[in-house]
Amino acid sequence: MVVQQYRDGGGARAARALAVAGVIAVTAGCVGGGGGGGGSDGSGQRAVAAERPLDVLGRAAGVLAEAGGAEARTSMETAAGGTRVTIRGEGTYDFRTQMGRLKVVLPTDAAGADDRRPITELLAPGALYMKNRGAGVPDDKWVRIDTTALEDGNLVTGGVTDPMAAAELLRGAADVTYEGTSELAGVTVHHYRGVADLNRAARAASPQSRGALSAAAKGFSKDAVPFDAYLDEEGRLRKVRHRFSFASGSREGREGQEAAEVTVISTLLLYGFGAPVTVKLPDEDDIYTGEIRQG
């Protein structure tokens, strides 16, 4: 194994409490990777291992934009009160338009019932649309969320980290170790381990992602986000795992007690580059404007 350490400026700011007032309550989690296919055609290969890891990671989002569409699998796992909960998603995403369509499967409830229908999520710059949200939302209506208004920028609230936001976070890498090569679904990948700074990532992000990442930088209890990223020979991100931390509740009314910290581990797998992606956003008449009940 080749291990090289690279450091750059920047550090975590003071902790800030995050009360995720999201539409999907993510209450527990850590994530495991699942497989994905798609190989390189050998064209335009870069000597990724010979480059500075900070340079490779810094342009990962741009390389994906050049690649266009891809198939994606997501997994978000949290742990709280001794219980682990995993939310999984699968679909396609276009990195040029930063739009995607994913089917998200919620875990079984505490009684073991598994009758929840998958939630369809449409991802767009600054917005998240969800269908089959349940809890009082009519079956034929969509829920629209302004991701720039969420305290976590929708990095965890929707149960899926937006694929482009996951890649843009790597622009904030400040402390990276190159861990060598491995194989992922038959493709040789280069493994980088490091820590991304949310503020730094927000400043370097594309205009479409900047608002959501800026919101996350203000909301999470830690600006430092540890990650493991795997890129192929062409510099395309194949897998990335982020570890987010936030406070589980308000300190209000609990004087002298610190809010418990929750860790959410979000994993994104990308494959099938070049896949066609079609996303049609709902018409205004199809968007639910009533009250959303939790549960």
Side-chain angles (χ1 to χ4, degrees):
M1 175 183 290
V2 180
V3 178
Q4 299 172 346
Q5 187 73 20
Y6 293 79
R7 296 183 182 274
D8 207 346
R13 294 185 302 104
R16 297 188 181 184
L18 168 64
V20 177
V23 183
I24 298 178
V26 180
T27 57
C30 255
V31 150
S40 168
D41 61 4
S43 63
Q45 290 189 355
R46 300 182 176 98
V48 172
E51 297 186 69
R52 293 178 70 244
L54 293 174
D55 293 337
V56 174
L57 297 175
R59 68 164 181 264
V63 172
L64 289 175
E66 293 175 4
E71 297 180 64
R73 290 183 184 174
T74 67
S75 180
M76 185 171 287
E77 189 176 340
T78 59
T83 301
R84 289 188 179 275
V85 176
T86 302
I87 299 172
R88 301 188 186 279
E90 186 170 2
T92 57
Y93 190 90
D94 190 327
F95 289 92
R96 292 164 300 188
T97 62
Q98 298 190 19
M99 298 178 68
R101 183 183 184 96
L102 298 172
K103 181 178 291 185
V104 178
V105 180
L106 300 179
T108 58
D109 62 22
D114 191 17
D115 57 356
R116 299 186 184 184
R117 290 179 300 167
I119 295 175
T120 298
E121 295 194 4
L122 303 182
L123 307 173
L128 168 67
Y129 299 82
M130 295 186 294
K131 195 171 187 180
N132 294 337
R133 167 63 182 89
V137 179
D139 290 345
D140 62 342
K141 294 293 185 180
W142 293 83
V143 174
R144 183 189 186 280
I145 304 298
D146 179 357
T147 55
T148 64
L150 292 174
E151 289 185 303
D152 72 321
N154 193 39
L155 292 179
V156 300
T157 296
V160 170
T161 302
D162 183 290
M164 188 52 133
E168 297 264 31
L169 271 173
L170 299 179
R171 298 185 190 271
D175 191 348
V176 181
T177 300
Y178 176 57
E179 300 288 339
T181 61
S182 60
E183 189 172 289
L184 178 65
V187 176
T188 298
V189 292
H190 298 268
H191 179 193
Y192 301 89
R193 176 172 293 157
V195 177
D197 181 86
L198 282 166
N199 269 299
R200 179 173 175 168
R203 291 194 300 268
S206 64
Q208 297 95 321
S209 301
R210 193 168 299 145
L213 289 178
S214 295
K218 297 175 183 178
F220 279 97
S221 61
K222 292 182 180 179
D223 284 344
V225 180
F227 68 85
D228 283 270
Y230 302 79
L231 290 82
D232 64 19
E233 294 287 354
E234 297 179 49
R236 297 179 302 193
L237 186 64
R238 292 281 182 159
K239 176 180 178 180
V240 62
R241 178 183 289 116
H242 291 103
R243 298 162 184 82
F244 300 105
S245 298
F246 61 90
S248 63
S250 172
R251 300 180 186 179
E252 209 172 301
R254 297 186 303 167
E255 189 174 348
Q257 295 184 18
E258 293 287 335
E261 187 171 88
V262 175
T263 298
V264 178
I265 302 180
S266 177
T267 298
L268 167 69
L269 290 159
L270 296 171
Y271 55 99
F273 290 99
V277 180
T278 301
V279 179
K280 183 181 183 300
L281 299 182
D283 295 330
E284 288 296 326
D285 292 342
D286 295 326
I287 297 176
Y288 181 67
T289 58
E291 183 179 353
I292 299 173
R293 301 195 306 269
Q294 294 298 322

